[in-house]
Amino acid sequence: MSGEMDGRAQDHGRVYQTTGDQHITEHHHYGSYGPADMGGPDSVRRPAVGQTPVALRDRGEVLARLREGLTSGRGAEVYVLHGMGGCGKTAVAQAFFDIATGEYGRVGLWVNAADRATLRAGMLAAAADRGARDGELLAAHQGHRPAADLVWHHLDRSPEPWFLVLDNADDPAILRDGSWLRGSPRGTVLVTTRRAAARWWPGAELQHIGVLPREDAARVLCDLAPHSGTMEQATEVAERLGRLPLALTLAGGFLAHQVIDPWTMDLYGRRLEEDEAAELLDQGADVLAEEDPRHLVGRTWQLTLDSFEERGLPEPVSLLRLLARLAPEPLPLSVLNRPEIAALLPLPRTEAALRVLVDHSLTQLVDLGDLRCAHSHGVLLDTVAAATPPADLPQLNTTAVRLLDAAVPAIPAAGPYDPRLRLLAPHALALLRKTTEPSGTSDALAVATRLATALHRTGDYLSAWETAGAAAPLASRTLGEEHRLVLAAHARTGRSLFRLGRYEEAEPLLRRVRSTQLRLYGADDPDTLDTGQGLQLVLGNNGKREEAVALLRSVVAGRRAALGPWHPATLRSRVSLLAILTAGETATEAEADETFLSLPDACTQRLGPEHAVTLSARHNHARAQFVLGRYQLADDEIRRVVEDYQRVLGPGYPAVLAARQLHARTQAALGHQEAAVVLMAEVVAGRERALGPDHPFTASGRDLLKELRSGRWTPPRPPE
């Protein structure tokens, strides 16, 4: 044989090299086989974590509860810290590990329970620490002796009391199947897990670990990056990160380790809005002691989603991706319980999929009054959205918009305040932000605008303005400013601004929209007429009554021609004339149109007695009777209107206060001064609560109340 050898041997290895056929038989026995050769953690006496928090914020109540377990003397205590990934369960466990070992003299044992092999090796190492002999451990490793029984035999007989942490126990079946989780009179067990269901932890005391309060979250950023900004700036960044401890730690780490070009918290906050949040956050992970997916926002929840798919459970993944198209706000469960979801996952499987997400702390159930909702963290949803395959987005967006469409009334009607509608608003806007395809954007905008209309008609003008006011510019990025639906959303914004008393903003907006609609669609287009109906209200209340009357008459004529005299929209405009005309104009109108003063009867016949237009017709008819000097008729009618408003629309509805103000005026006109003052004082107080002290309606009500109290008020003079 010639030439250099290609192989090299180390330790007890041997190398054979030959140019011919060889048959070699060897028998080896090199010393004993002990625990050092079995594999396992290098230490169970130290927490196996990446980075120690600079300071543990807002966990005092949890730590106090755990201290009680150490000082009570009861023994056999098992505590379970559960919560979503990144909420700081391990940090709490680490902090209490230090307390148990430092202040209470416990032997600390730390075992990673993320998978079967790691748990088994860690628990056997704990048994070795508590006195297990090499032969016992070898027998357990080789399956000749039950490993869990061996571990707990030595834990139960430990000469010193101990504190055992089972970290990352996100698959409780691993603990259950091997009977690894037990109580012992000699120690206390603390488990950290994402699995929230109590059935996994019989006999244990459960403690939820959530996100941090606002101030403590900001302090985490200041702890890590004290020179990057103020507490106020840190608070804004913390809110954007949903006050999630992992995200805060990564953000603070990034800010603290920028040397060449340091970032401020303000800059970091802006970049969170502009870039992929998960990618930016994970840049802060470079400062951690080890690379672990649990330390990365972009990967920590993907571990759980991967496990779903490995176990043949695609529905929870699909449902979470659907939720990621919406907002990190409470979503009424009724939205998910609809047949429209079948395009993504079978409706009967939705319940099971949601329970899986709740059980794995990927979402949580919250009760808001009588509404039960699903609520997922914003950073989690951002991460899931970023990892969603692009090919899945059209179906996800279509399913989301159909679910929201089904949840919003098809024809929004006036009625009592509905809290469910307000909960839908952030989801409609989130879907608009995440939809870039024109047809999907138009569908989402149509739903958002109809939702704003529904909010408006329940008297929630602020939410209506916020919804329509945000939806229009979001959609215009894809559809353009002159798209029909974008203009309709702007018009809805203007009408809500009027109801909020912001006339100086509402008037130019509605004028601009109507001007564009006139140019694009003509004067008799339904959208143009609808904007005109809203604009005349602003003009009439903004000191431009003559222009308002002229515009309203043109809207009435246009709706008569396009829709007929008895269409609800036409009737609404005709009824509006009853509210704006003077006594002389009312008399003239009644002469020209014999049906004018019988509009309430026509509305009752065509629309029903409780329709919003019918109630408004009766209200405005009472006002017409009042300006005509028929005070007793007006008083009798408005009294009944107030009662019906309260019964149909609810006592807090804005129209109730307007009707009661007219009732105060009719009472004063009839000489019942004290009753009028009492009524008007209640109206002013109600408007201050509902609209604020500076709203024009509130101010005019205060002026009327002053006049009534002083005796200076006089009723309008009827036409001669």
Side-chain angles (χ1 to χ4, degrees):
M1 183 174 70
S2 63
E4 296 182 357
M5 293 182 63
D6 297 321
R8 295 290 186 269
Q10 291 182 342
D11 299 328
H12 299 293
R14 297 190 182 188
V15 175
Y16 297 91
Q17 183 166 319
T18 179
T19 56
D21 295 334
Q22 299 284 329
H23 179 76
I24 301 171
T25 300
E26 284 201 10
H27 300 276
H28 301 275
H29 180 76
Y30 299 126
S32 63
Y33 183 71
D37 304 297
M38 298 175 191
D42 293 329
S43 173
V44 290
R45 287 293 191 102
R46 300 289 301 170
V49 296
Q51 186 182 45
T52 301
V54 175
L56 190 69
R57 296 291 182 183
D58 184 56
R59 303 305 188 192
E61 184 177 340
V62 177
L63 295 177
R65 186 177 175 187
L66 294 173
R67 282 178 182 272
E68 290 178 4
L70 291 185
T71 58
S72 65
R74 294 192 299 266
E77 296 285 349
V78 177
Y79 296 92
V80 175
L81 305 182
H82 64 90
M84 66 181 296
C87 68
K89 303 179 296 295
T90 296
V92 175
Q94 180 184 359
F96 196 68
F97 185 96
D98 293 340
I99 292 172
T101 56
E103 297 183 23
Y104 292 89
R106 295 289 183 102
V107 171
L109 303 170
W110 188 284
V111 174
N112 187 348
D115 57 68
R116 295 179 188 276
T118 305
L119 170 68
R120 182 185 179 89
M123 291 296 278
L124 286 172
D129 184 275
R130 295 293 85 208
R133 298 186 300 274
D134 290 351
E136 294 176 302
L137 296 171
L138 181 59
H141 270 290
Q142 294 177 343
H144 301 312
R145 180 170 181 172
D149 289 347
L150 171 67
V151 171
W152 284 100
H153 171 82
H154 286 282
L155 288 174
D156 289 342
R157 288 159 179 77
S158 171
E160 300 92 9
W162 44 262
F163 178 71
L164 169 64
V165 174
L166 298 177
D167 194 27
N168 299 326
D170 298 331
D171 186 358
I174 296 174
L175 298 175
R176 180 192 61 192
D177 295 345
S179 190
W180 287 106
L181 180 59
R182 309 180 190 182
S184 172
R186 296 300 295 154
T188 300
V189 181
L190 179 66
V191 180
T192 72
T193 181
R194 302 181 186 189
R195 304 297 291 274
R199 69 178 184 276
W200 290 112
W201 316 107
E205 189 169 339
L206 274 64
Q207 173 68 55
H208 177 253
I209 304 296
V211 299
L212 295 172
R214 180 183 177 92
E215 183 176 342
D216 289 286
R219 289 192 182 281
V220 169
L221 288 173
C222 292
D223 290 339
L224 294 168
H227 305 298
S228 299
T230 64
M231 268 291 291
E232 290 74 18
Q233 294 167 335
T235 299
E236 292 182 8
V237 175
E239 287 292 340
R240 174 62 183 82
L241 297 174
R243 309 193 305 275
L244 183 70
L246 173 59
L248 297 169
T249 300
L250 292 172
F254 178 88
L255 290 169
H257 289 78
Q258 298 301 301
V259 178
I260 297 177
D261 185 17
W263 286 27
T264 64
M265 289 186 187
D266 279 345
L267 175 59
Y268 192 87
R270 291 195 298 271
R271 289 294 298 272
L272 282 173
E273 299 292 338
E274 299 168 0
D275 301 341
E276 289 287 352
E279 293 182 8
L280 179 58
L281 283 168
D282 286 346
Q283 294 181 39
D286 294 340
V287 302
L288 298 176
E290 58 184 273
E291 293 184 4
D292 184 339
R294 294 174 184 274
H295 297 154
L296 304 175
V297 163
R299 284 287 298 158
T300 182
W301 298 290
Q302 194 62 41
L303 297 172
T304 305
L305 299 185
D306 292 344
S307 73
F308 292 160
E309 294 184 331
E310 290 169 3
R311 294 179 328 196
L313 295 172
E315 292 92 350
V317 179
S318 298
L319 181 57
L320 188 58
R321 286 174 176 168
L322 174 67
L323 295 176
R325 308 313 297 163
L326 304 175
E329 302 289 343
L331 176 72
L333 295 184
S334 58
V335 175
L336 302 176
N337 190 30
R338 301 195 61 90
E340 288 80 6
I341 204 170
L344 190 65
L345 70 160
L347 180 58
R349 296 287 298 163
T350 305
E351 170 80 17
L354 180 61
R355 289 195 176 279
V356 170
L357 295 182
V358 171
D359 187 30
H360 286 79
S361 298
L362 292 170
T363 192
Q364 60 179 325
L365 300 179
V366 294
D367 292 319
L368 301 178
D370 296 331
L371 288 172
R372 199 156 207 215
C373 302
H375 189 196
S376 300
H377 194 277
V379 175
L380 183 154
L381 294 183
D382 287 347
T383 301
V384 172
T388 299
D392 294 348
L393 295 180
Q395 185 183 47
L396 289 166
N397 290 339
T398 299
T399 303
V401 77
R402 287 177 178 172
L403 289 170
L404 291 175
D405 181 66
V408 178
I411 303 177
Y417 170 70
D418 184 353
R420 183 180 59 90
L421 294 176
R422 181 181 288 185
L423 292 176
L424 297 177
H427 301 290
L429 296 177
L431 184 58
L432 266 175
R433 291 187 188 95
K434 297 172 183 177
T435 304
T436 57
E437 190 268 329
S439 64
T441 299
S442 61
D443 290 343
L445 177 59
V447 172
T449 304
R450 198 169 82 250
L451 174 60
T453 303
L455 288 162
H456 184 104
R457 291 182 179 169
T458 61
D460 190 357
Y461 303 129
L462 180 60
S463 295
W465 166 69
E466 290 173 340
T467 302
L474 285 172
S476 68
R477 299 179 304 183
T478 302
L479 303 178
E481 272 293 327
E482 295 192 344
H483 190 279
R484 179 181 285 274
L485 292 175
V486 173
L487 291 170
H490 280 308
R492 175 51 55 189
T493 304
R495 297 184 76 152
S496 296
L497 283 169
F498 160 68
R499 290 296 177 185
L500 291 170
R502 296 161 62 174
Y503 302 159
E504 301 305 322
E505 298 172 68
E507 182 178 332
L509 175 58
L510 289 171
R511 284 189 185 277
R512 175 176 62 81
V513 171
R514 184 169 180 271
S515 175
T516 304
Q517 291 170 331
L518 284 169
R519 173 169 53 84
L520 295 176
Y521 314 128
D524 294 333
D525 181 83
D527 285 359
T528 307
L529 293 169
D530 187 62
T531 304
Q533 175 74 22
L535 177 57
Q536 62 86 21
L537 287 170
V538 182
L539 296 173
N541 283 271
N542 210 18
K544 301 173 183 177
R545 198 191 72 84
E546 291 184 2
E547 184 182 0
V549 171
L551 177 57
L552 181 55
R553 289 188 185 279
S554 72
V555 172
V556 170
R559 283 181 165 174
R560 273 183 183 271
L563 305 172
W566 308 116
H567 188 278
T570 307
L571 287 171
R572 185 182 297 276
S573 296
R574 296 177 67 193
V575 164
S576 297
L577 281 172
L578 285 169
I580 197 172
L581 298 183
T582 64
E585 291 168 341
T586 299
T588 302
E589 189 74 21
E591 291 177 3
D593 180 1
E594 61 183 13
T595 67
F596 184 59
L597 289 179
S598 61
L599 278 174
D601 294 334
C603 291
T604 300
Q605 181 182 355
R606 303 278 177 170
L607 306 176
E610 295 187 350
H611 193 282
V613 174
T614 302
L615 294 173
S616 181
R618 291 172 54 202
H619 181 177
N620 292 353
H621 184 264
R623 183 261 178 194
Q625 297 281 43
F626 175 72
V627 299
L628 290 171
R630 304 166 185 172
Y631 303 138
Q632 189 61 59
L633 290 175
D635 188 77
D636 293 342
E637 186 166 19
I638 198 61
R639 188 190 302 271
R640 293 191 297 270
V641 168
V642 169
E643 293 173 355
D644 290 343
Y645 267 153
Q646 291 177 325
R647 177 175 51 81
V648 176
L649 303 179
Y653 199 79
V656 174
L657 296 175
R660 295 187 74 193
Q661 175 166 316
L662 177 56
H663 190 202
R665 297 172 74 187
T666 61
Q667 285 284 290
L670 291 171
H672 307 311
Q673 197 73 17
E674 292 184 6
V677 169
V678 171
L679 279 170
M680 201 59 222
E682 292 174 352
V683 169
V684 171
R687 283 181 170 163
E688 287 179 343
R689 288 193 301 270
L691 303 175
D694 300 325
H695 194 285
F697 289 177
T698 308
S700 64
R702 276 198 303 266
D703 292 341
L704 176 57
L705 178 59
K706 289 179 182 177
E707 291 183 11
L708 290 172
R709 283 174 169 165
S710 66
R712 296 195 306 270
W713 181 84
T714 57
R717 293 179 60 185
E720 298 180 0

